[in-house]
Amino acid sequence: MRPQAFIFDVFGTVVDWRSGVARDVSRALPQVEPFAFAAAWRARYQPAMERVRAGGRPYVALDELHAEMLDETLAAFGARMTPPARAALATAWERLPAWPDAPDGLARLRTMAMIAPCSNGSIALMTRLARYAGLPWDCVLGADVARAYKPQPEVYLAAAAALRLAPGAVMMVAAHNDDLRAARAAGLMAGFIPRPQEHGPGQTADLSPDGPWDLVADDIADLAARVSLGVGR
Amino acid sequence: MRPQAFIFDVFGTVVDWRSGVARDVSRALPQVEPFAFAAAWRARYQPAMERVRAGGRPYVALDELHAEMLDETLAAFGARMTPPARAALATAWERLPAWPDAPDGLARLRTMAMIAPCSNGSIALMTRLARYAGLPWDCVLGADVARAYKPQPEVYLAAAAALRLAPGAVMMVAAHNDDLRAARAAGLMAGFIPRPQEHGPGQTADLSPDGPWDLVADDIADLAARVSLGVGR
């Protein structure tokens, strides 16, 4: 059955956060190794959300967490910035390049079904990123709509509910097997695409699908082609 | 100051609900006068939302209210439909034609600022309508995001907050002076465009701006041109 909507993980799946963040870091902090800084900033992502998921902190948009994570990363690198420069760098996540196949692949997929991000990024962040990267979403779903963070089931369920679709009529697409496991457990379909360069050279995680996903494709353009042809794995 | 985002009323301001609903009514109920039926259906709109606004009923998406209002309108016209036909007609609000200036005007405006609907329609309804009518929104805001109905101030404030903008950096655009009064009271800028055919021939309301709105334009294309030139009223 063809899904009526495809919802996407974004950081890593649709956009290349590593090179985008490193580019802004290299301009703002020429003294640090930009890819190491980007990786260290991103490494604080799951722990920061985990406090919210565990109930230790009320829901706060990822924009706030990104700013706090930046402060911690600056301290870890012994780097200093003026408050305006720090605030500007904190928004680097709004200016990430799309993986080359993403804009056209999404545009093609959109001719067949609704498409939306289901990211832990806020509506504000996803909206600005879509404008920057040329992502033709029909609407923006995700953490802000559920006021919770993936992989909590309510994020996937709130995305389907916002479209007034049964979870089983929606496919979650991600380059991360954990995201798909959680979406599947919530009743959604799951589509995997590998992004072997997400973490740069030497990546070991998520190089291939490790679950019985409904669809596996090489990238978003290939995913759109397979959906068009009715081809699954 | 140029707004960083423009948020739009949709029914009447961006799309022509009257002729769109009448078209579906004429196909589904050939025995009734379609424009009279459309007007009667729409006349139940404010009373239906008022129960939610007044606290007499928890927030429920406009899709639900539209279906209930349809049942009441069918009863008032002494018309009967099968449940599947009634359910199909209830979604007529997803298939409304854009006013002719809207798609290109929005596309031009979008090159200058973020654009989103701030309608009482749900995310599901606005998403499907945007696909049908060719409305190039950056994201979908409005009642579902606030879980409240305009003109309650939280709807306008939630839209600005979702974009992480101060209310004063956002312009609400509507063909309805009441909508703009409420947006202004919440701290937003206000832009008026007349839609003298919204209610068909003989319309008397909202033919002209009746408040000190920040911008008055002939239509959305003219609004985009005025924003581009920095021209206000």
Side-chain angles (χ1 to χ4, degrees), chain A residues 61 63-64 110 113-114 123-124 127-128 131 138-141 162-165, chain B residues 61 63-64 110 113-114 123-124 127-128 131 138-141 162-165:
Chain A
D63 313 70
E64 308 287 344
R110 190 189 189 188
M114 295 186 279
I123 292 174
T127 299
R128 289 178 171 85
R131 290 170 61 89
D138 286 308
C139 62
V140 173
L141 304 174
L163 296 175
R164 298 179 71 81
L165 293 175
Chain B
D63 314 70
E64 308 287 344
R110 191 189 188 190
M114 292 186 280
I123 291 174
T127 299
R128 290 178 171 86
R131 288 171 62 89
D138 285 309
C139 63
V140 173
L141 304 174
L163 296 175
R164 297 180 71 82
L165 292 175

PDB file of all heavy atoms in Angstrom, chain A residues 61 63-64 110 113-114 123-124 127-128 131 138-141 162-165, chain B residues 61 63-64 110 113-114 123-124 127-128 131 138-141 162-165:
ATOM      1  N   ALA A  61      12.324  24.088  23.059  1.00  0.00           N
ATOM      2  CA  ALA A  61      12.647  23.883  21.650  1.00  0.00           C
ATOM      3  C   ALA A  61      14.130  23.574  21.467  1.00  0.00           C
ATOM      4  O   ALA A  61      14.980  24.024  22.254  1.00  0.00           O
ATOM      5  CB  ALA A  61      12.262  25.113  20.828  1.00  0.00           C
ATOM      6  N   ASP A  63      16.181  24.752  19.488  1.00  0.00           N
ATOM      7  CA  ASP A  63      16.985  25.974  19.347  1.00  0.00           C
ATOM      8  C   ASP A  63      17.656  26.325  20.681  1.00  0.00           C
ATOM      9  O   ASP A  63      18.827  26.734  20.707  1.00  0.00           O
ATOM     10  CB  ASP A  63      16.103  27.141  18.895  1.00  0.00           C
ATOM     11  CG  ASP A  63      15.196  26.760  17.747  1.00  0.00           C
ATOM     12  OD1 ASP A  63      14.257  25.975  17.973  1.00  0.00           O
ATOM     13  OD2 ASP A  63      15.421  27.228  16.623  1.00  0.00           O
ATOM     14  N   GLU A  64      16.902  26.177  21.777  1.00  0.00           N
ATOM     15  CA  GLU A  64      17.466  26.479  23.104  1.00  0.00           C
ATOM     16  C   GLU A  64      18.545  25.470  23.458  1.00  0.00           C
ATOM     17  O   GLU A  64      19.606  25.823  23.982  1.00  0.00           O
ATOM     18  CB  GLU A  64      16.377  26.408  24.185  1.00  0.00           C
ATOM     19  CG  GLU A  64      15.137  27.234  23.907  1.00  0.00           C
ATOM     20  CD  GLU A  64      15.369  28.714  24.060  1.00  0.00           C
ATOM     21  OE1 GLU A  64      16.385  29.098  24.669  1.00  0.00           O
ATOM     22  OE2 GLU A  64      14.534  29.496  23.564  1.00  0.00           O
ATOM     23  N   ARG A 110       6.636  14.462  -3.551  1.00  0.00           N
ATOM     24  CA  ARG A 110       5.493  15.325  -3.209  1.00  0.00           C
ATOM     25  C   ARG A 110       4.372  15.247  -4.240  1.00  0.00           C
ATOM     26  O   ARG A 110       3.225  15.591  -3.945  1.00  0.00           O
ATOM     27  CB  ARG A 110       6.006  16.759  -3.098  1.00  0.00           C
ATOM     28  CG  ARG A 110       4.998  17.718  -2.518  1.00  0.00           C
ATOM     29  CD  ARG A 110       5.496  19.143  -2.650  1.00  0.00           C
ATOM     30  NE  ARG A 110       4.648  20.067  -1.916  1.00  0.00           N
ATOM     31  CZ  ARG A 110       4.760  21.372  -1.976  1.00  0.00           C
ATOM     32  NH1 ARG A 110       5.703  21.923  -2.733  1.00  0.00           N
ATOM     33  NH2 ARG A 110       3.938  22.133  -1.301  1.00  0.00           N
ATOM     34  N   ALA A 113       2.416  12.081  -2.709  1.00  0.00           N
ATOM     35  CA  ALA A 113       1.933  12.005  -1.319  1.00  0.00           C
ATOM     36  C   ALA A 113       2.344  13.278  -0.599  1.00  0.00           C
ATOM     37  O   ALA A 113       3.178  14.046  -1.082  1.00  0.00           O
ATOM     38  CB  ALA A 113       2.550  10.790  -0.610  1.00  0.00           C
ATOM     39  N   MET A 114       1.755  13.481   0.573  1.00  0.00           N
ATOM     40  CA  MET A 114       2.181  14.608   1.408  1.00  0.00           C
ATOM     41  C   MET A 114       3.560  14.313   1.979  1.00  0.00           C
ATOM     42  O   MET A 114       3.887  13.164   2.280  1.00  0.00           O
ATOM     43  CB  MET A 114       1.174  14.831   2.543  1.00  0.00           C
ATOM     44  CG  MET A 114      -0.188  15.269   2.044  1.00  0.00           C
ATOM     45  SD  MET A 114      -1.350  15.696   3.386  1.00  0.00           S
ATOM     46  CE  MET A 114      -1.902  14.047   3.847  1.00  0.00           C
ATOM     47  N   ILE A 123       9.603  24.070  14.746  1.00  0.00           N
ATOM     48  CA  ILE A 123       8.982  24.619  13.534  1.00  0.00           C
ATOM     49  C   ILE A 123       9.831  25.761  12.987  1.00  0.00           C
ATOM     50  O   ILE A 123      10.079  25.847  11.770  1.00  0.00           O
ATOM     51  CB  ILE A 123       7.542  25.091  13.837  1.00  0.00           C
ATOM     52  CG1 ILE A 123       6.631  23.879  14.145  1.00  0.00           C
ATOM     53  CG2 ILE A 123       6.973  25.910  12.679  1.00  0.00           C
ATOM     54  CD1 ILE A 123       5.219  24.256  14.587  1.00  0.00           C
ATOM     55  N   ALA A 124      10.308  26.628  13.867  1.00  0.00           N
ATOM     56  CA  ALA A 124      11.116  27.772  13.421  1.00  0.00           C
ATOM     57  C   ALA A 124      12.387  27.296  12.722  1.00  0.00           C
ATOM     58  O   ALA A 124      12.758  27.793  11.649  1.00  0.00           O
ATOM     59  CB  ALA A 124      11.476  28.651  14.622  1.00  0.00           C
ATOM     60  N   THR A 127      11.586  25.471   9.409  1.00  0.00           N
ATOM     61  CA  THR A 127      11.106  26.403   8.386  1.00  0.00           C
ATOM     62  C   THR A 127      12.271  27.166   7.767  1.00  0.00           C
ATOM     63  O   THR A 127      12.378  27.294   6.538  1.00  0.00           O
ATOM     64  CB  THR A 127      10.090  27.372   9.012  1.00  0.00           C
ATOM     65  OG1 THR A 127       8.990  26.612   9.520  1.00  0.00           O
ATOM     66  CG2 THR A 127       9.581  28.372   7.983  1.00  0.00           C
ATOM     67  N   ARG A 128      13.159  27.654   8.619  1.00  0.00           N
ATOM     68  CA  ARG A 128      14.317  28.399   8.089  1.00  0.00           C
ATOM     69  C   ARG A 128      15.257  27.469   7.312  1.00  0.00           C
ATOM     70  O   ARG A 128      15.793  27.834   6.269  1.00  0.00           O
ATOM     71  CB  ARG A 128      15.058  29.087   9.240  1.00  0.00           C
ATOM     72  CG  ARG A 128      14.255  30.261   9.821  1.00  0.00           C
ATOM     73  CD  ARG A 128      14.993  30.904  11.002  1.00  0.00           C
ATOM     74  NE  ARG A 128      14.344  32.140  11.432  1.00  0.00           N
ATOM     75  CZ  ARG A 128      13.319  32.194  12.290  1.00  0.00           C
ATOM     76  NH1 ARG A 128      12.836  31.081  12.818  1.00  0.00           N
ATOM     77  NH2 ARG A 128      12.769  33.356  12.622  1.00  0.00           N
ATOM     78  N   ARG A 131      13.910  26.730   3.838  1.00  0.00           N
ATOM     79  CA  ARG A 131      14.137  27.842   2.918  1.00  0.00           C
ATOM     80  C   ARG A 131      15.592  27.867   2.459  1.00  0.00           C
ATOM     81  O   ARG A 131      15.880  28.109   1.285  1.00  0.00           O
ATOM     82  CB  ARG A 131      13.761  29.172   3.583  1.00  0.00           C
ATOM     83  CG  ARG A 131      12.263  29.341   3.783  1.00  0.00           C
ATOM     84  CD  ARG A 131      11.932  30.558   4.652  1.00  0.00           C
ATOM     85  NE  ARG A 131      12.384  31.804   4.072  1.00  0.00           N
ATOM     86  CZ  ARG A 131      11.680  32.557   3.244  1.00  0.00           C
ATOM     87  NH1 ARG A 131      10.456  32.189   2.901  1.00  0.00           N
ATOM     88  NH2 ARG A 131      12.168  33.679   2.765  1.00  0.00           N
ATOM     89  N   ASP A 138       5.298  20.110   2.540  1.00  0.00           N
ATOM     90  CA  ASP A 138       3.902  20.559   2.552  1.00  0.00           C
ATOM     91  C   ASP A 138       3.546  21.250   3.862  1.00  0.00           C
ATOM     92  O   ASP A 138       2.671  22.119   3.893  1.00  0.00           O
ATOM     93  CB  ASP A 138       2.973  19.354   2.346  1.00  0.00           C
ATOM     94  CG  ASP A 138       2.982  18.871   0.915  1.00  0.00           C
ATOM     95  OD1 ASP A 138       2.778  19.701   0.018  1.00  0.00           O
ATOM     96  OD2 ASP A 138       3.196  17.662   0.694  1.00  0.00           O
ATOM     97  N   CYS A 139       4.150  20.825   4.946  1.00  0.00           N
ATOM     98  CA  CYS A 139       3.945  21.461   6.252  1.00  0.00           C
ATOM     99  C   CYS A 139       5.098  21.002   7.130  1.00  0.00           C
ATOM    100  O   CYS A 139       5.931  20.209   6.691  1.00  0.00           O
ATOM    101  CB  CYS A 139       2.592  21.080   6.873  1.00  0.00           C
ATOM    102  SG  CYS A 139       2.395  19.323   7.211  1.00  0.00           S
ATOM    103  N   VAL A 140       5.183  21.524   8.330  1.00  0.00           N
ATOM    104  CA  VAL A 140       6.267  21.155   9.240  1.00  0.00           C
ATOM    105  C   VAL A 140       5.678  20.457  10.458  1.00  0.00           C
ATOM    106  O   VAL A 140       4.877  21.037  11.188  1.00  0.00           O
ATOM    107  CB  VAL A 140       7.080  22.394   9.668  1.00  0.00           C
ATOM    108  CG1 VAL A 140       8.093  22.018  10.748  1.00  0.00           C
ATOM    109  CG2 VAL A 140       7.795  23.001   8.469  1.00  0.00           C
ATOM    110  N   LEU A 141       6.071  19.203  10.653  1.00  0.00           N
ATOM    111  CA  LEU A 141       5.650  18.439  11.828  1.00  0.00           C
ATOM    112  C   LEU A 141       6.886  18.141  12.666  1.00  0.00           C
ATOM    113  O   LEU A 141       7.971  18.602  12.353  1.00  0.00           O
ATOM    114  CB  LEU A 141       4.940  17.160  11.376  1.00  0.00           C
ATOM    115  CG  LEU A 141       3.738  17.406  10.452  1.00  0.00           C
ATOM    116  CD1 LEU A 141       3.183  16.097   9.931  1.00  0.00           C
ATOM    117  CD2 LEU A 141       2.664  18.213  11.158  1.00  0.00           C
ATOM    118  N   ALA A 162      -1.794  14.964  13.143  1.00  0.00           N
ATOM    119  CA  ALA A 162      -1.897  16.320  12.583  1.00  0.00           C
ATOM    120  C   ALA A 162      -2.337  16.279  11.128  1.00  0.00           C
ATOM    121  O   ALA A 162      -2.969  17.217  10.640  1.00  0.00           O
ATOM    122  CB  ALA A 162      -0.558  17.050  12.711  1.00  0.00           C
ATOM    123  N   LEU A 163      -2.009  15.200  10.434  1.00  0.00           N
ATOM    124  CA  LEU A 163      -2.445  15.034   9.035  1.00  0.00           C
ATOM    125  C   LEU A 163      -3.780  14.289   8.949  1.00  0.00           C
ATOM    126  O   LEU A 163      -4.255  14.013   7.841  1.00  0.00           O
ATOM    127  CB  LEU A 163      -1.364  14.291   8.243  1.00  0.00           C
ATOM    128  CG  LEU A 163      -0.026  15.027   8.106  1.00  0.00           C
ATOM    129  CD1 LEU A 163       0.998  14.135   7.405  1.00  0.00           C
ATOM    130  CD2 LEU A 163      -0.201  16.341   7.351  1.00  0.00           C
ATOM    131  N   ARG A 164      -4.355  13.943  10.099  1.00  0.00           N
ATOM    132  CA  ARG A 164      -5.591  13.170  10.148  1.00  0.00           C
ATOM    133  C   ARG A 164      -5.458  11.862   9.354  1.00  0.00           C
ATOM    134  O   ARG A 164      -6.350  11.482   8.592  1.00  0.00           O
ATOM    135  CB  ARG A 164      -6.801  13.990   9.676  1.00  0.00           C
ATOM    136  CG  ARG A 164      -7.042  15.203  10.577  1.00  0.00           C
ATOM    137  CD  ARG A 164      -8.212  16.046  10.127  1.00  0.00           C
ATOM    138  NE  ARG A 164      -9.507  15.408  10.349  1.00  0.00           N
ATOM    139  CZ  ARG A 164     -10.151  15.381  11.504  1.00  0.00           C
ATOM    140  NH1 ARG A 164      -9.612  15.948  12.576  1.00  0.00           N
ATOM    141  NH2 ARG A 164     -11.332  14.794  11.595  1.00  0.00           N
ATOM    142  N   LEU A 165      -4.322  11.203   9.582  1.00  0.00           N
ATOM    143  CA  LEU A 165      -4.082   9.898   8.967  1.00  0.00           C
ATOM    144  C   LEU A 165      -3.842   8.869  10.068  1.00  0.00           C
ATOM    145  O   LEU A 165      -3.318   9.199  11.139  1.00  0.00           O
ATOM    146  CB  LEU A 165      -2.844   9.939   8.064  1.00  0.00           C
ATOM    147  CG  LEU A 165      -2.948  10.791   6.802  1.00  0.00           C
ATOM    148  CD1 LEU A 165      -1.599  10.834   6.087  1.00  0.00           C
ATOM    149  CD2 LEU A 165      -4.036  10.264   5.863  1.00  0.00           C
TER     150      LEU A 165
ATOM    151  N   ALA B  61     -10.608  19.945  16.114  1.00  0.00           N
ATOM    152  CA  ALA B  61     -10.171  20.502  14.835  1.00  0.00           C
ATOM    153  C   ALA B  61     -11.378  20.936  14.003  1.00  0.00           C
ATOM    154  O   ALA B  61     -12.475  20.378  14.108  1.00  0.00           O
ATOM    155  CB  ALA B  61      -9.336  19.481  14.063  1.00  0.00           C
ATOM    156  N   ASP B  63     -12.039  20.408  11.035  1.00  0.00           N
ATOM    157  CA  ASP B  63     -12.588  19.308  10.229  1.00  0.00           C
ATOM    158  C   ASP B  63     -13.816  18.704  10.906  1.00  0.00           C
ATOM    159  O   ASP B  63     -14.810  18.380  10.234  1.00  0.00           O
ATOM    160  CB  ASP B  63     -11.520  18.228  10.025  1.00  0.00           C
ATOM    161  CG  ASP B  63     -10.175  18.800   9.615  1.00  0.00           C
ATOM    162  OD1 ASP B  63      -9.530  19.438  10.466  1.00  0.00           O
ATOM    163  OD2 ASP B  63      -9.764  18.616   8.457  1.00  0.00           O
ATOM    164  N   GLU B  64     -13.739  18.528  12.226  1.00  0.00           N
ATOM    165  CA  GLU B  64     -14.873  17.967  12.973  1.00  0.00           C
ATOM    166  C   GLU B  64     -16.050  18.941  12.953  1.00  0.00           C
ATOM    167  O   GLU B  64     -17.204  18.534  12.769  1.00  0.00           O
ATOM    168  CB  GLU B  64     -14.476  17.710  14.433  1.00  0.00           C
ATOM    169  CG  GLU B  64     -13.220  16.899  14.639  1.00  0.00           C
ATOM    170  CD  GLU B  64     -13.410  15.432  14.313  1.00  0.00           C
ATOM    171  OE1 GLU B  64     -14.569  14.987  14.214  1.00  0.00           O
ATOM    172  OE2 GLU B  64     -12.397  14.732  14.139  1.00  0.00           O
ATOM    173  N   ARG B 110       7.213  35.172  -0.705  1.00  0.00           N
ATOM    174  CA  ARG B 110       8.076  34.195  -0.046  1.00  0.00           C
ATOM    175  C   ARG B 110       9.551  34.435  -0.317  1.00  0.00           C
ATOM    176  O   ARG B 110      10.409  33.963   0.436  1.00  0.00           O
ATOM    177  CB  ARG B 110       7.682  32.796  -0.555  1.00  0.00           C
ATOM    178  CG  ARG B 110       8.293  31.673   0.223  1.00  0.00           C
ATOM    179  CD  ARG B 110       8.035  30.352  -0.469  1.00  0.00           C
ATOM    180  NE  ARG B 110       8.443  29.235   0.358  1.00  0.00           N
ATOM    181  CZ  ARG B 110       8.499  27.995  -0.067  1.00  0.00           C
ATOM    182  NH1 ARG B 110       8.130  27.696  -1.315  1.00  0.00           N
ATOM    183  NH2 ARG B 110       8.896  27.038   0.730  1.00  0.00           N
ATOM    184  N   ALA B 113      10.249  37.013   2.696  1.00  0.00           N
ATOM    185  CA  ALA B 113       9.952  36.738   4.109  1.00  0.00           C
ATOM    186  C   ALA B 113       9.323  35.357   4.202  1.00  0.00           C
ATOM    187  O   ALA B 113       8.889  34.787   3.204  1.00  0.00           O
ATOM    188  CB  ALA B 113       8.988  37.793   4.666  1.00  0.00           C
ATOM    189  N   MET B 114       9.232  34.846   5.421  1.00  0.00           N
ATOM    190  CA  MET B 114       8.523  33.587   5.629  1.00  0.00           C
ATOM    191  C   MET B 114       7.025  33.828   5.473  1.00  0.00           C
ATOM    192  O   MET B 114       6.520  34.893   5.830  1.00  0.00           O
ATOM    193  CB  MET B 114       8.819  33.049   7.033  1.00  0.00           C
ATOM    194  CG  MET B 114      10.264  32.604   7.206  1.00  0.00           C
ATOM    195  SD  MET B 114      10.591  31.813   8.820  1.00  0.00           S
ATOM    196  CE  MET B 114      10.755  33.290   9.843  1.00  0.00           C
ATOM    197  N   ILE B 123      -4.025  21.750  10.644  1.00  0.00           N
ATOM    198  CA  ILE B 123      -2.835  21.472   9.830  1.00  0.00           C
ATOM    199  C   ILE B 123      -3.211  20.549   8.668  1.00  0.00           C
ATOM    200  O   ILE B 123      -2.798  20.767   7.526  1.00  0.00           O
ATOM    201  CB  ILE B 123      -1.723  20.842  10.703  1.00  0.00           C
ATOM    202  CG1 ILE B 123      -1.177  21.877  11.699  1.00  0.00           C
ATOM    203  CG2 ILE B 123      -0.599  20.276   9.830  1.00  0.00           C
ATOM    204  CD1 ILE B 123      -0.168  21.307  12.699  1.00  0.00           C
ATOM    205  N   ALA B 124      -4.009  19.516   8.942  1.00  0.00           N
ATOM    206  CA  ALA B 124      -4.408  18.573   7.890  1.00  0.00           C
ATOM    207  C   ALA B 124      -5.173  19.286   6.775  1.00  0.00           C
ATOM    208  O   ALA B 124      -4.904  19.082   5.584  1.00  0.00           O
ATOM    209  CB  ALA B 124      -5.273  17.463   8.496  1.00  0.00           C
ATOM    210  N   THR B 127      -2.926  21.780   4.873  1.00  0.00           N
ATOM    211  CA  THR B 127      -1.924  21.086   4.057  1.00  0.00           C
ATOM    212  C   THR B 127      -2.566  20.575   2.769  1.00  0.00           C
ATOM    213  O   THR B 127      -2.019  20.754   1.670  1.00  0.00           O
ATOM    214  CB  THR B 127      -1.306  19.927   4.863  1.00  0.00           C
ATOM    215  OG1 THR B 127      -0.679  20.479   6.028  1.00  0.00           O
ATOM    216  CG2 THR B 127      -0.282  19.166   4.044  1.00  0.00           C
ATOM    217  N   ARG B 128      -3.719  19.956   2.899  1.00  0.00           N
ATOM    218  CA  ARG B 128      -4.393  19.438   1.700  1.00  0.00           C
ATOM    219  C   ARG B 128      -4.864  20.584   0.807  1.00  0.00           C
ATOM    220  O   ARG B 128      -4.772  20.514  -0.426  1.00  0.00           O
ATOM    221  CB  ARG B 128      -5.563  18.547   2.111  1.00  0.00           C
ATOM    222  CG  ARG B 128      -5.101  17.219   2.731  1.00  0.00           C
ATOM    223  CD  ARG B 128      -6.282  16.355   3.173  1.00  0.00           C
ATOM    224  NE  ARG B 128      -5.853  15.011   3.576  1.00  0.00           N
ATOM    225  CZ  ARG B 128      -5.422  14.684   4.789  1.00  0.00           C
ATOM    226  NH1 ARG B 128      -5.364  15.605   5.742  1.00  0.00           N
ATOM    227  NH2 ARG B 128      -5.048  13.445   5.064  1.00  0.00           N
ATOM    228  N   ARG B 131      -1.979  22.029  -1.212  1.00  0.00           N
ATOM    229  CA  ARG B 131      -1.622  21.180  -2.350  1.00  0.00           C
ATOM    230  C   ARG B 131      -2.629  21.373  -3.481  1.00  0.00           C
ATOM    231  O   ARG B 131      -2.260  21.439  -4.661  1.00  0.00           O
ATOM    232  CB  ARG B 131      -1.572  19.714  -1.924  1.00  0.00           C
ATOM    233  CG  ARG B 131      -0.372  19.385  -1.034  1.00  0.00           C
ATOM    234  CD  ARG B 131      -0.457  17.987  -0.438  1.00  0.00           C
ATOM    235  NE  ARG B 131      -0.462  16.942  -1.432  1.00  0.00           N
ATOM    236  CZ  ARG B 131       0.619  16.351  -1.936  1.00  0.00           C
ATOM    237  NH1 ARG B 131       1.817  16.715  -1.520  1.00  0.00           N
ATOM    238  NH2 ARG B 131       0.514  15.402  -2.834  1.00  0.00           N
ATOM    239  N   ASP B 138       5.622  28.179   3.664  1.00  0.00           N
ATOM    240  CA  ASP B 138       6.841  27.656   4.283  1.00  0.00           C
ATOM    241  C   ASP B 138       6.527  26.654   5.388  1.00  0.00           C
ATOM    242  O   ASP B 138       7.306  25.738   5.643  1.00  0.00           O
ATOM    243  CB  ASP B 138       7.667  28.805   4.873  1.00  0.00           C
ATOM    244  CG  ASP B 138       8.373  29.610   3.801  1.00  0.00           C
ATOM    245  OD1 ASP B 138       9.058  28.989   2.964  1.00  0.00           O
ATOM    246  OD2 ASP B 138       8.241  30.839   3.789  1.00  0.00           O
ATOM    247  N   CYS B 139       5.424  26.846   6.075  1.00  0.00           N
ATOM    248  CA  CYS B 139       4.976  25.913   7.107  1.00  0.00           C
ATOM    249  C   CYS B 139       3.508  26.227   7.363  1.00  0.00           C
ATOM    250  O   CYS B 139       2.966  27.169   6.771  1.00  0.00           O
ATOM    251  CB  CYS B 139       5.800  26.036   8.396  1.00  0.00           C
ATOM    252  SG  CYS B 139       5.673  27.642   9.200  1.00  0.00           S
ATOM    253  N   VAL B 140       2.862  25.443   8.178  1.00  0.00           N
ATOM    254  CA  VAL B 140       1.440  25.658   8.470  1.00  0.00           C
ATOM    255  C   VAL B 140       1.288  26.008   9.943  1.00  0.00           C
ATOM    256  O   VAL B 140       1.638  25.206  10.822  1.00  0.00           O
ATOM    257  CB  VAL B 140       0.612  24.405   8.126  1.00  0.00           C
ATOM    258  CG1 VAL B 140      -0.831  24.578   8.599  1.00  0.00           C
ATOM    259  CG2 VAL B 140       0.643  24.144   6.617  1.00  0.00           C
ATOM    260  N   LEU B 141       0.767  27.195  10.195  1.00  0.00           N
ATOM    261  CA  LEU B 141       0.476  27.626  11.566  1.00  0.00           C
ATOM    262  C   LEU B 141      -1.040  27.808  11.689  1.00  0.00           C
ATOM    263  O   LEU B 141      -1.779  27.495  10.774  1.00  0.00           O
ATOM    264  CB  LEU B 141       1.225  28.937  11.860  1.00  0.00           C
ATOM    265  CG  LEU B 141       2.746  28.842  11.641  1.00  0.00           C
ATOM    266  CD1 LEU B 141       3.397  30.203  11.812  1.00  0.00           C
ATOM    267  CD2 LEU B 141       3.355  27.828  12.605  1.00  0.00           C
ATOM    268  N   ALA B 162       5.969  30.184  17.275  1.00  0.00           N
ATOM    269  CA  ALA B 162       6.418  29.001  16.536  1.00  0.00           C
ATOM    270  C   ALA B 162       7.539  29.360  15.571  1.00  0.00           C
ATOM    271  O   ALA B 162       8.380  28.521  15.262  1.00  0.00           O
ATOM    272  CB  ALA B 162       5.259  28.358  15.786  1.00  0.00           C
ATOM    273  N   LEU B 163       7.541  30.597  15.089  1.00  0.00           N
ATOM    274  CA  LEU B 163       8.609  31.060  14.197  1.00  0.00           C
ATOM    275  C   LEU B 163       9.757  31.714  14.979  1.00  0.00           C
ATOM    276  O   LEU B 163      10.706  32.218  14.374  1.00  0.00           O
ATOM    277  CB  LEU B 163       8.046  32.042  13.162  1.00  0.00           C
ATOM    278  CG  LEU B 163       7.011  31.450  12.193  1.00  0.00           C
ATOM    279  CD1 LEU B 163       6.428  32.541  11.293  1.00  0.00           C
ATOM    280  CD2 LEU B 163       7.632  30.339  11.346  1.00  0.00           C
ATOM    281  N   ARG B 164       9.634  31.743  16.305  1.00  0.00           N
ATOM    282  CA  ARG B 164      10.617  32.398  17.167  1.00  0.00           C
ATOM    283  C   ARG B 164      10.819  33.849  16.750  1.00  0.00           C
ATOM    284  O   ARG B 164      11.951  34.351  16.666  1.00  0.00           O
ATOM    285  CB  ARG B 164      11.948  31.633  17.181  1.00  0.00           C
ATOM    286  CG  ARG B 164      11.799  30.225  17.773  1.00  0.00           C
ATOM    287  CD  ARG B 164      13.091  29.446  17.809  1.00  0.00           C
ATOM    288  NE  ARG B 164      14.043  29.937  18.794  1.00  0.00           N
ATOM    289  CZ  ARG B 164      14.011  29.632  20.087  1.00  0.00           C
ATOM    290  NH1 ARG B 164      13.044  28.870  20.573  1.00  0.00           N
ATOM    291  NH2 ARG B 164      14.932  30.104  20.907  1.00  0.00           N
ATOM    292  N   LEU B 165       9.701  34.519  16.510  1.00  0.00           N
ATOM    293  CA  LEU B 165       9.726  35.945  16.191  1.00  0.00           C
ATOM    294  C   LEU B 165       8.895  36.697  17.220  1.00  0.00           C
ATOM    295  O   LEU B 165       7.914  36.158  17.760  1.00  0.00           O
ATOM    296  CB  LEU B 165       9.123  36.195  14.804  1.00  0.00           C
ATOM    297  CG  LEU B 165       9.910  35.658  13.609  1.00  0.00           C
ATOM    298  CD1 LEU B 165       9.118  35.867  12.317  1.00  0.00           C
ATOM    299  CD2 LEU B 165      11.285  36.345  13.511  1.00  0.00           C
TER     300      LEU B 165
END
